[in-house]
Amino acid sequence: MHKKTISLIAATLFSTSTSTLAEPIGYNDPLGDKWMQKVILQISKVDAENAKLKELLSERQRALSFIKRENDYRYYTVIRGSLRSQLPTLARQTGITTIRWSNDIPISCDWQFDSQFKIDAKNPEKAALEFFRGLPLTPIYIERDKSLNIEPLTVIPECI
């Protein structure tokens, strides 16, 4: 802190602490040196406490950022829109290397998600099952080569 600021604080404290009945601060210390040293000591203690609190806040912010990154990595968010356009992103996040569509599923067919939801991407097989839940498709996860085969549950006509 600058000396001018400290002097201003000291003068303010001095002027507000004097009364007609009590002796003013620094009465026996005409130059106010001892009193000024006490004020400087108190200010340095406050600065030290402030530094500790800033460090604590910084540490907690880092912990929150870590948790957020872990959450973003572990969960895949399915957004409104095309199944076919979102499947490669889910595959990358879960570690699926290849996606094979059955010849019984027309290339022109696509399904649209109408709402957003999250899938736990830690287990690829469960993530694929969750992704295709409610659709006339079934994913078959092959652990050996980390691939996903997609088969129809019903006969799917050609889509327009």
Side-chain angles (χ1 to χ4, degrees):
M1 218 176 244
H2 297 290
K3 288 186 178 183
K4 287 183 181 179
T5 307
I6 293 172
S7 298
L8 183 60
I9 292 171
T12 305
L13 290 174
F14 181 76
S15 66
T16 59
S17 66
T18 59
S19 71
T20 55
L21 299 175
E23 294 179 348
I25 296 175
Y27 177 74
N28 294 330
D29 185 15
L31 298 177
D33 290 336
K34 291 179 185 175
W35 182 78
M36 187 59 98
Q37 288 174 355
K38 288 180 183 178
V39 169
I40 292 171
L41 182 64
Q42 288 176 346
I43 290 171
S44 65
K45 286 180 182 179
V46 169
D47 285 342
E49 184 67 24
N50 190 23
K52 286 179 190 176
L53 291 174
K54 282 183 180 181
E55 179 60 33
L56 180 64
L57 181 63
S58 175
E59 182 180 329
R60 289 185 180 181
Q61 288 295 342
R62 286 191 303 270
L64 288 173
S65 295
F66 173 78
I67 291 168
K68 187 177 183 316
R69 279 193 311 274
E70 278 294 310
N71 187 33
D72 289 345
Y73 178 74
R74 180 173 178 165
Y75 294 97
Y76 175 75
T77 302
V78 178
I79 58 173
R80 294 175 55 149
S82 167
L83 174 138
R84 286 189 185 253
S85 67
Q86 295 183 63
L87 185 57
T89 310
L90 174 68
R92 265 193 312 275
Q93 190 165 340
T94 57
I96 296 171
T97 56
T98 307
I99 300 171
R100 295 184 197 94
W101 290 86
S102 169
N103 290 333
D104 297 333
I105 302 172
I107 294 173
S108 61
C109 283
D110 194 4
W111 290 263
Q112 299 292 315
F113 293 109
D114 59 356
S115 63
Q116 180 175 317
F117 59 97
K118 286 190 174 198
I119 296 174
D120 187 350
K122 192 172 185 179
N123 182 330
E125 186 173 13
K126 287 182 181 178
L129 288 170
E130 183 68 27
F131 187 74
F132 286 99
R133 180 182 289 168
L135 298 174
L137 304 169
T138 184
I140 301 167
Y141 179 70
I142 314 245
E143 180 74 33
R144 180 183 63 229
D145 62 351
K146 297 184 179 181
S147 65
L148 188 66
N149 294 340
I150 302 168
E151 299 288 334
L153 293 174
T154 61
V155 175
I156 301 173
E158 190 70 34
C159 299
I160 297 175

